[in-house]
Amino acid sequence: MTNFHRRARIGAGIALFTAAALGLTACATGAETPAAAGEGDAVDAAAATSVDDFGSFADLETAAKAEGQLNVIALPRDWANYGEIIDLFTEKYPEITVNEASPDVSSAEEIQAAKTNEGLDTAPDVFDLGLTVALQNTDVFAPYQVQTWDEIPEELKEPTGLFVGDYGGYMSIGYDSSKFDAPKTLDDLKDAAYKGAVAINGDPTQAGAAFAAVGLATVQSDGTLDDFQPGIDFFADLQKAGNLLKVDVTTATVASGETPVVFDWDYLNAAHAADNKNWKVVVLDGTGYAGYYNQAINKDAPNPAAARLWQEFLYSDEVQNLWLKGGARPARMEAMTEAGTIDADLAAALPEVPSETVVPTEEQSTNAGTLLGEKWAAAVQ
Protein backbone atom coordinates (compact mmCIF):
# COMPACT_ATOMS: atom_id res chain seq x y z
CA MET A 1 0.00 0.00 0.00
CA THR A 2 2.95 2.35 -0.37
CA ASN A 3 1.79 3.60 -3.77
CA PHE A 4 -0.35 6.27 -2.12
CA HIS A 5 2.77 7.97 -0.83
CA ARG A 6 4.67 7.52 -4.06
CA ARG A 7 1.91 8.99 -6.21
CA ALA A 8 1.45 11.87 -3.80
CA ARG A 9 5.12 12.73 -4.22
CA ILE A 10 5.04 12.58 -7.99
CA GLY A 11 1.64 14.26 -8.39
CA ALA A 12 1.53 17.52 -6.49
CA GLY A 13 3.39 16.82 -3.30
CA ILE A 14 6.76 18.06 -4.52
CA ALA A 15 5.35 21.31 -5.89
CA LEU A 16 3.27 21.87 -2.79
CA PHE A 17 5.93 21.34 -0.21
CA THR A 18 8.74 22.90 -2.23
CA ALA A 19 6.67 26.08 -2.33
CA ALA A 20 6.04 25.77 1.37
CA ALA A 21 9.73 25.28 2.06
CA LEU A 22 10.76 28.33 0.03
CA GLY A 23 8.18 30.50 1.71
CA LEU A 24 8.33 29.18 5.25
CA THR A 25 11.90 28.29 6.09
CA ALA A 26 12.56 31.87 7.06
CA CYS A 27 9.70 31.80 9.56
CA ALA A 28 11.77 29.87 12.05
CA THR A 29 15.20 31.34 11.47
CA GLY A 30 14.84 33.72 14.37
CA ALA A 31 13.92 31.01 16.88
CA GLU A 32 16.07 30.99 19.98
CA THR A 33 18.07 27.80 20.46
CA PRO A 34 17.43 26.41 23.93
CA ALA A 35 20.21 25.25 26.19
CA ALA A 36 20.51 21.49 26.37
CA ALA A 37 19.95 19.79 29.69
CA GLY A 38 22.94 20.10 31.96
CA GLU A 39 24.19 23.32 30.27
CA GLY A 40 23.06 25.82 32.86
CA ASP A 41 19.49 26.76 33.60
CA ALA A 42 16.51 24.43 33.20
CA VAL A 43 15.41 23.68 29.65
CA ASP A 44 12.96 26.14 28.12
CA ALA A 45 10.40 23.65 26.80
CA ALA A 46 8.70 26.33 24.70
CA ALA A 47 11.91 26.81 22.70
CA ALA A 48 12.81 23.11 22.33
CA THR A 49 13.02 22.00 18.71
CA SER A 50 13.83 18.32 19.39
CA VAL A 51 14.26 15.79 22.19
CA ASP A 52 17.96 16.65 22.31
CA ASP A 53 17.08 20.02 23.80
CA PHE A 54 15.64 18.24 26.83
CA GLY A 55 18.65 15.96 27.14
CA SER A 56 16.81 12.69 26.53
CA PHE A 57 13.33 11.35 25.85
CA ALA A 58 13.05 10.45 29.54
CA ASP A 59 13.76 14.08 30.39
CA LEU A 60 11.00 15.18 28.02
CA GLU A 61 8.60 12.76 29.72
CA THR A 62 9.58 14.10 33.13
CA ALA A 63 8.99 17.70 32.03
CA ALA A 64 5.60 16.85 30.53
CA LYS A 65 4.51 14.96 33.63
CA ALA A 66 5.48 17.96 35.75
CA GLU A 67 3.13 20.13 33.67
CA GLY A 68 0.38 17.57 34.17
CA GLN A 69 -1.95 18.82 31.43
CA LEU A 70 -2.38 18.60 27.67
CA ASN A 71 -4.94 20.70 25.81
CA VAL A 72 -6.14 19.25 22.50
CA ILE A 73 -8.81 20.68 20.21
CA ALA A 74 -10.87 19.55 17.21
CA LEU A 75 -10.26 15.83 17.73
CA PRO A 76 -13.56 13.92 17.42
CA ARG A 77 -13.08 10.54 19.06
CA ASP A 78 -14.53 8.76 16.01
CA TRP A 79 -12.25 10.64 13.58
CA ALA A 80 -9.38 8.44 12.34
CA ASN A 81 -9.41 6.49 15.64
CA TYR A 82 -8.54 9.51 17.79
CA GLY A 83 -10.55 8.13 20.71
CA GLU A 84 -8.28 5.11 21.06
CA ILE A 85 -5.20 7.27 20.50
CA ILE A 86 -6.14 9.71 23.26
CA ASP A 87 -7.04 6.88 25.62
CA LEU A 88 -3.68 5.21 25.01
CA PHE A 89 -1.83 8.44 25.82
CA THR A 90 -3.82 8.74 29.05
CA GLU A 91 -3.03 5.13 29.92
CA LYS A 92 0.66 5.59 29.13
CA TYR A 93 0.89 8.91 30.99
CA PRO A 94 -1.69 8.91 33.80
CA GLU A 95 0.09 11.89 35.33
CA ILE A 96 -1.04 14.03 32.35
CA THR A 97 -4.70 15.02 32.07
CA VAL A 98 -5.86 15.36 28.46
CA ASN A 99 -8.38 18.18 28.10
CA GLU A 100 -10.44 17.61 24.95
CA ALA A 101 -11.97 20.91 23.78
CA SER A 102 -14.44 21.59 20.95
CA PRO A 103 -14.05 18.32 19.03
CA ASP A 104 -16.19 19.41 16.09
CA VAL A 105 -14.69 22.80 15.23
CA SER A 106 -12.88 23.53 11.96
CA SER A 107 -9.16 24.04 11.40
CA ALA A 108 -9.68 27.80 11.17
CA GLU A 109 -11.54 27.76 14.48
CA GLU A 110 -8.61 25.96 16.12
CA ILE A 111 -6.37 28.90 15.25
CA GLN A 112 -8.97 31.36 16.47
CA ALA A 113 -9.20 29.50 19.79
CA ALA A 114 -5.44 29.86 20.22
CA LYS A 115 -5.62 33.59 19.60
CA THR A 116 -8.68 34.11 21.77
CA ASN A 117 -7.16 32.17 24.68
CA GLU A 118 -3.60 33.44 24.27
CA GLY A 119 -1.89 33.62 27.68
CA LEU A 120 -4.55 31.46 29.34
CA ASP A 121 -4.08 27.89 30.57
CA THR A 122 -7.09 26.91 28.41
CA ALA A 123 -5.34 27.65 25.11
CA PRO A 124 -4.74 24.64 22.84
CA ASP A 125 -1.27 23.14 23.10
CA VAL A 126 -1.44 21.40 19.73
CA PHE A 127 -3.35 21.57 16.47
CA ASP A 128 -4.64 19.11 13.85
CA LEU A 129 -5.09 21.12 10.66
CA GLY A 130 -5.87 21.03 6.98
CA LEU A 131 -2.96 22.14 4.82
CA THR A 132 -4.45 25.43 3.64
CA VAL A 133 -5.00 26.64 7.19
CA ALA A 134 -1.55 25.39 8.24
CA LEU A 135 0.14 27.35 5.44
CA GLN A 136 -1.75 30.49 6.38
CA ASN A 137 -0.85 30.41 10.08
CA THR A 138 2.80 29.45 10.47
CA ASP A 139 3.33 32.46 12.75
CA VAL A 140 1.24 30.63 15.36
CA PHE A 141 3.41 27.47 15.37
CA ALA A 142 6.59 26.39 17.16
CA PRO A 143 9.10 24.34 15.12
CA TYR A 144 9.71 20.82 16.40
CA GLN A 145 11.21 17.68 14.85
CA VAL A 146 10.19 14.35 16.35
CA GLN A 147 12.64 11.48 16.75
CA THR A 148 11.19 9.72 13.68
CA TRP A 149 11.55 12.89 11.57
CA ASP A 150 13.76 11.27 8.94
CA GLU A 151 11.07 8.64 8.21
CA ILE A 152 8.45 11.25 7.33
CA PRO A 153 8.44 11.99 3.56
CA GLU A 154 9.97 15.37 2.78
CA GLU A 155 6.87 16.62 0.97
CA LEU A 156 4.76 15.99 4.08
CA LYS A 157 6.66 18.34 6.38
CA GLU A 158 7.69 21.98 6.60
CA PRO A 159 11.50 21.85 6.75
CA THR A 160 11.89 23.18 10.30
CA GLY A 161 8.94 21.27 11.73
CA LEU A 162 6.44 24.13 11.95
CA PHE A 163 3.80 21.69 10.70
CA VAL A 164 4.01 18.03 9.69
CA GLY A 165 1.63 15.73 7.80
CA ASP A 166 0.31 13.00 10.06
CA TYR A 167 -2.45 10.94 8.39
CA GLY A 168 -4.30 11.08 5.11
CA GLY A 169 -6.64 9.39 2.72
CA TYR A 170 -8.75 9.59 -0.40
CA MET A 171 -12.02 11.36 -1.01
CA SER A 172 -14.62 8.60 -1.26
CA ILE A 173 -18.32 7.87 -1.41
CA GLY A 174 -19.93 5.97 1.46
CA TYR A 175 -23.34 4.43 0.90
CA ASP A 176 -25.95 2.23 2.54
CA SER A 177 -25.73 -0.96 0.48
CA SER A 178 -29.19 -2.05 1.62
CA LYS A 179 -30.62 0.90 -0.32
CA PHE A 180 -28.19 1.49 -3.18
CA ASP A 181 -25.77 -0.32 -5.43
CA ALA A 182 -22.19 0.89 -5.44
CA PRO A 183 -21.90 4.01 -7.62
CA LYS A 184 -19.42 3.40 -10.41
CA THR A 185 -19.23 6.95 -11.70
CA LEU A 186 -20.05 10.39 -10.41
CA ASP A 187 -22.96 10.69 -12.83
CA ASP A 188 -24.65 7.68 -11.22
CA LEU A 189 -25.48 9.98 -8.31
CA LYS A 190 -27.63 12.17 -10.58
CA ASP A 191 -30.08 9.31 -11.09
CA ALA A 192 -33.58 9.68 -9.65
CA ALA A 193 -32.86 6.71 -7.39
CA TYR A 194 -30.68 9.05 -5.30
CA LYS A 195 -33.42 11.63 -4.69
CA GLY A 196 -32.66 13.52 -1.46
CA ALA A 197 -29.89 11.06 -0.57
CA VAL A 198 -26.44 12.56 -1.33
CA ALA A 199 -24.66 14.57 1.37
CA ILE A 200 -21.23 16.14 1.76
CA ASN A 201 -19.43 16.58 5.08
CA GLY A 202 -19.87 20.32 5.67
CA ASP A 203 -19.71 23.52 3.65
CA PRO A 204 -16.83 23.54 1.12
CA THR A 205 -16.12 27.19 1.86
CA GLN A 206 -15.31 26.24 5.47
CA ALA A 207 -14.65 22.49 5.81
CA GLY A 208 -11.72 20.62 4.28
CA ALA A 209 -13.62 17.39 3.61
CA ALA A 210 -16.39 19.22 1.74
CA PHE A 211 -13.80 21.25 -0.19
CA ALA A 212 -12.18 17.97 -1.23
CA ALA A 213 -15.56 16.61 -2.37
CA VAL A 214 -15.82 19.48 -4.85
CA GLY A 215 -12.21 18.82 -5.86
CA LEU A 216 -12.99 15.18 -6.52
CA ALA A 217 -16.08 16.12 -8.53
CA THR A 218 -13.90 18.49 -10.55
CA VAL A 219 -11.27 15.95 -11.58
CA GLN A 220 -13.88 13.22 -12.08
CA SER A 221 -15.67 15.61 -14.48
CA ASP A 222 -12.59 15.95 -16.70
CA GLY A 223 -11.59 19.22 -15.02
CA THR A 224 -8.34 20.11 -13.30
CA LEU A 225 -7.49 21.52 -9.89
CA ASP A 226 -6.72 24.85 -11.57
CA ASP A 227 -10.46 25.45 -11.88
CA PHE A 228 -13.07 23.94 -9.53
CA GLN A 229 -15.98 25.11 -11.68
CA PRO A 230 -16.78 21.59 -13.04
CA GLY A 231 -17.09 20.36 -9.44
CA ILE A 232 -19.39 23.24 -8.53
CA ASP A 233 -21.45 22.49 -11.65
CA PHE A 234 -21.75 18.82 -10.64
CA PHE A 235 -23.20 19.69 -7.24
CA ALA A 236 -25.45 22.31 -8.87
CA ASP A 237 -26.81 19.51 -11.07
CA LEU A 238 -27.35 17.33 -7.98
CA GLN A 239 -29.27 20.19 -6.40
CA LYS A 240 -31.43 20.71 -9.49
CA ALA A 241 -32.19 16.99 -9.59
CA GLY A 242 -33.27 17.10 -5.95
CA ASN A 243 -30.55 14.64 -4.97
CA LEU A 244 -28.34 16.92 -2.82
CA LEU A 245 -29.13 16.48 0.85
CA LYS A 246 -28.30 19.54 2.98
CA VAL A 247 -27.76 17.81 6.29
CA ASP A 248 -24.58 17.94 8.37
CA VAL A 249 -23.16 14.43 8.31
CA THR A 250 -22.52 12.75 11.67
CA THR A 251 -22.23 9.20 12.91
CA ALA A 252 -25.83 9.51 14.09
CA THR A 253 -27.18 10.61 10.69
CA VAL A 254 -25.47 7.68 8.99
CA ALA A 255 -26.60 5.18 11.62
CA SER A 256 -30.21 6.40 11.39
CA GLY A 257 -30.21 6.40 7.59
CA GLU A 258 -30.78 10.14 7.37
CA THR A 259 -27.65 10.55 5.20
CA PRO A 260 -27.51 7.32 3.14
CA VAL A 261 -24.86 8.51 0.63
CA VAL A 262 -21.91 10.61 1.79
CA PHE A 263 -18.87 12.24 0.21
CA ASP A 264 -16.05 12.09 2.80
CA TRP A 265 -12.49 10.91 3.40
CA ASP A 266 -12.28 7.14 3.03
CA TYR A 267 -11.19 6.60 6.64
CA LEU A 268 -14.13 8.63 7.98
CA ASN A 269 -16.60 6.87 5.74
CA ALA A 270 -15.17 3.48 6.73
CA ALA A 271 -15.75 4.23 10.42
CA HIS A 272 -19.52 4.38 9.87
CA ALA A 273 -19.63 0.62 9.26
CA ALA A 274 -19.42 0.18 13.03
CA ASP A 275 -22.89 1.76 13.36
CA ASN A 276 -24.44 0.67 10.08
CA LYS A 277 -23.60 -2.91 9.07
CA ASN A 278 -24.72 -2.19 5.50
CA TRP A 279 -22.35 0.77 5.06
CA LYS A 280 -19.84 0.41 2.22
CA VAL A 281 -17.14 2.69 0.83
CA VAL A 282 -15.96 3.20 -2.73
CA VAL A 283 -13.06 5.22 -4.13
CA LEU A 284 -14.05 5.87 -7.73
CA ASP A 285 -11.93 4.72 -10.65
CA GLY A 286 -10.24 7.41 -12.67
CA THR A 287 -8.45 10.32 -11.02
CA GLY A 288 -8.40 10.21 -7.24
CA TYR A 289 -8.21 13.14 -4.82
CA ALA A 290 -5.97 12.73 -1.77
CA GLY A 291 -5.01 14.85 1.21
CA TYR A 292 -3.25 14.86 4.57
CA TYR A 293 -3.99 16.59 7.84
CA ASN A 294 -1.11 18.17 9.73
CA GLN A 295 0.19 18.41 13.30
CA ALA A 296 1.51 21.65 14.75
CA ILE A 297 2.45 22.97 18.19
CA ASN A 298 1.06 26.27 19.48
CA LYS A 299 4.06 28.59 19.98
CA ASP A 300 2.25 29.91 23.09
CA ALA A 301 1.25 26.46 24.37
CA PRO A 302 0.52 26.58 28.11
CA ASN A 303 2.01 23.07 28.37
CA PRO A 304 4.93 23.14 25.92
CA ALA A 305 6.63 19.95 27.12
CA ALA A 306 3.38 17.97 26.99
CA ALA A 307 2.76 19.35 23.49
CA ARG A 308 6.11 17.99 22.33
CA LEU A 309 5.58 14.66 24.06
CA TRP A 310 2.23 14.39 22.26
CA GLN A 311 3.98 14.87 18.92
CA GLU A 312 6.53 12.17 19.74
CA PHE A 313 3.66 9.88 20.71
CA LEU A 314 1.73 10.48 17.49
CA TYR A 315 4.69 9.66 15.26
CA SER A 316 5.60 6.45 17.10
CA ASP A 317 5.05 3.06 15.44
CA GLU A 318 2.25 2.25 17.84
CA VAL A 319 0.15 5.33 17.10
CA GLN A 320 0.88 5.35 13.38
CA ASN A 321 -0.66 1.87 13.36
CA LEU A 322 -3.63 3.17 15.36
CA TRP A 323 -4.33 5.71 12.62
CA LEU A 324 -4.09 2.83 10.18
CA LYS A 325 -6.60 0.96 12.35
CA GLY A 326 -8.86 3.98 11.89
CA GLY A 327 -8.63 3.54 8.11
CA ALA A 328 -6.19 6.42 7.52
CA ARG A 329 -2.77 6.23 5.89
CA PRO A 330 -0.11 7.33 8.40
CA ALA A 331 2.74 9.61 7.35
CA ARG A 332 5.41 7.00 8.17
CA MET A 333 3.62 4.18 6.36
CA GLU A 334 6.25 3.63 3.69
CA ALA A 335 9.17 3.58 6.14
CA MET A 336 7.29 1.30 8.52
CA THR A 337 6.41 -1.06 5.68
CA GLU A 338 10.07 -1.30 4.74
CA ALA A 339 11.04 -1.84 8.39
CA GLY A 340 8.35 -4.47 8.95
CA THR A 341 6.68 -2.47 11.74
CA ILE A 342 3.46 -1.68 9.86
CA ASP A 343 0.37 -3.74 10.72
CA ALA A 344 0.21 -5.66 7.44
CA ASP A 345 -3.36 -6.88 7.97
CA LEU A 346 -4.64 -3.36 8.52
CA ALA A 347 -2.70 -2.06 5.53
CA ALA A 348 -4.16 -4.80 3.33
CA ALA A 349 -7.67 -3.85 4.45
CA LEU A 350 -7.43 -0.31 3.05
CA PRO A 351 -9.69 0.42 0.06
CA GLU A 352 -8.22 0.03 -3.40
CA VAL A 353 -7.03 3.34 -4.78
CA PRO A 354 -7.05 4.81 -8.30
CA SER A 355 -4.01 4.66 -10.54
CA GLU A 356 -3.74 8.45 -10.72
CA THR A 357 -3.93 10.75 -7.70
CA VAL A 358 -3.95 14.53 -7.43
CA VAL A 359 -3.33 16.83 -4.46
CA PRO A 360 -3.96 20.60 -4.80
CA THR A 361 -1.09 23.03 -4.42
CA GLU A 362 -1.33 26.04 -2.14
CA GLU A 363 -2.12 28.30 -5.10
CA GLN A 364 -4.78 25.91 -6.41
CA SER A 365 -6.38 25.65 -2.97
CA THR A 366 -6.43 29.43 -2.56
CA ASN A 367 -7.95 29.99 -5.99
CA ALA A 368 -10.53 27.26 -5.44
CA GLY A 369 -11.48 28.76 -2.09
CA THR A 370 -12.04 32.15 -3.73
CA LEU A 371 -14.17 30.60 -6.48
CA LEU A 372 -16.24 28.60 -4.00
CA GLY A 373 -16.83 31.73 -1.95
CA GLU A 374 -18.18 33.44 -5.07
CA LYS A 375 -20.16 30.60 -6.63
CA TRP A 376 -21.09 27.84 -4.13
CA ALA A 377 -24.10 29.35 -2.34
CA ALA A 378 -25.85 30.32 -5.58
CA ALA A 379 -25.10 26.97 -7.18
CA VAL A 380 -26.77 24.89 -4.47
CA GLN A 381 -29.53 27.22 -3.24
Side-chain angles (χ1 to χ4, degrees):
M1 301 303 297
T2 59
N3 286 344
F4 174 82
H5 300 276
R6 188 170 297 111
R7 283 195 296 273
R9 287 196 196 111
I10 295 172
I14 290 175
L16 177 66
F17 281 85
T18 298
L22 292 174
L24 301 180
T25 300
C27 296
T29 56
E32 181 179 347
T33 302
E39 295 182 2
D41 295 337
V43 173
D44 179 2
T49 59
S50 72
V51 162
D52 289 344
D53 293 325
F54 290 92
S56 69
F57 183 70
D59 291 326
L60 169 58
E61 291 179 310
T62 298
K65 291 174 185 177
E67 291 173 347
Q69 304 284 323
L70 173 69
N71 299 338
V72 302
I73 186 171
L75 303 184
R77 295 181 68 84
D78 59 356
W79 178 291
N81 204 26
Y82 257 123
E84 187 171 354
I85 290 169
I86 293 169
D87 289 345
L88 178 61
F89 185 84
T90 299
E91 178 184 341
K92 190 176 182 69
Y93 299 108
E95 306 89 346
I96 303 174
T97 299
V98 179
N99 304 305
E100 301 175 53
S102 306
D104 297 317
V105 299
S106 67
S107 293
E109 289 170 319
E110 293 182 58
I111 301 299
Q112 187 56 52
K115 295 179 177 179
T116 300
N117 292 279
E118 184 177 353
L120 302 177
D121 61 8
T122 53
D125 289 309
V126 290
F127 305 108
D128 182 290
L129 304 161
L131 181 59
T132 300
V133 173
L135 286 164
Q136 293 169 345
N137 292 281
T138 55
D139 60 326
V140 181
F141 309 149
Y144 187 79
Q145 297 183 5
V146 294
Q147 294 178 98
T148 53
W149 176 262
D150 290 343
E151 296 184 0
I152 301 168
E154 293 298 322
E155 69 279 1
L156 293 185
K157 57 194 180 187
E158 190 279 329
T160 67
L162 285 172
F163 61 86
V164 187
D166 44 17
Y167 60 90
Y170 282 82
M171 185 49 47
S172 68
I173 300 171
Y175 63 99
D176 188 329
S177 63
S178 70
K179 300 177 181 177
F180 304 99
D181 293 330
K184 295 181 179 179
T185 70
L186 214 59
D187 284 344
D188 288 349
L189 300 179
K190 296 179 182 179
D191 191 88
Y194 290 90
K195 184 77 70 177
V198 183
I200 60 176
N201 192 353
D203 181 333
T205 66
Q206 302 176 23
F211 178 96
V214 182
L216 175 66
T218 294
V219 297
Q220 287 276 325
S221 300
D222 297 324
T224 73
L225 296 184
D226 291 323
D227 182 5
F228 269 40
Q229 189 62 53
I232 296 173
D233 292 342
F234 167 77
F235 283 104
D237 289 344
L238 277 191
Q239 171 67 14
K240 291 174 185 175
N243 293 7
L244 186 61
L245 180 60
K246 298 177 182 177
V247 173
D248 288 337
V249 178
T250 66
T251 299
T253 64
V254 172
S256 68
E258 187 178 3
T259 53
V261 182
V262 175
F263 280 87
D264 211 343
W265 297 113
D266 55 356
Y267 52 90
L268 299 183
N269 260 329
H272 294 313
D275 299 289
N276 181 340
K277 63 182 178 61
N278 296 311
W279 194 255
K280 305 292 183 184
V281 184
V282 61
V283 176
L284 294 175
D285 291 337
T287 303
Y289 185 108
Y292 273 84
Y293 283 86
N294 299 270
Q295 291 295 325
I297 295 173
N298 183 359
K299 70 176 183 180
D300 297 315
N303 305 290
R308 287 153 175 80
L309 181 62
W310 174 250
Q311 300 303 304
E312 296 286 357
F313 175 74
L314 293 181
Y315 289 93
S316 67
D317 287 355
E318 187 171 21
V319 178
Q320 293 278 293
N321 274 321
L322 286 181
W323 266 322
L324 187 58
K325 183 178 178 180
R329 294 163 171 84
R332 293 180 53 235
M333 186 171 181
E334 186 168 337
M336 289 173 62
T337 299
E338 293 174 358
T341 57
I342 201 76
D343 187 315
D345 290 337
L346 292 175
L350 291 172
E352 292 186 15
V353 299
S355 58
E356 180 182 357
T357 295
V358 295
V359 182
T361 65
E362 178 187 2
E363 182 180 5
Q364 288 171 331
S365 294
T366 299
N367 292 340
T370 300
L371 183 66
L372 283 164
E374 296 170 350
K375 301 289 187 68
W376 178 256
V380 300
Q381 67 180 5

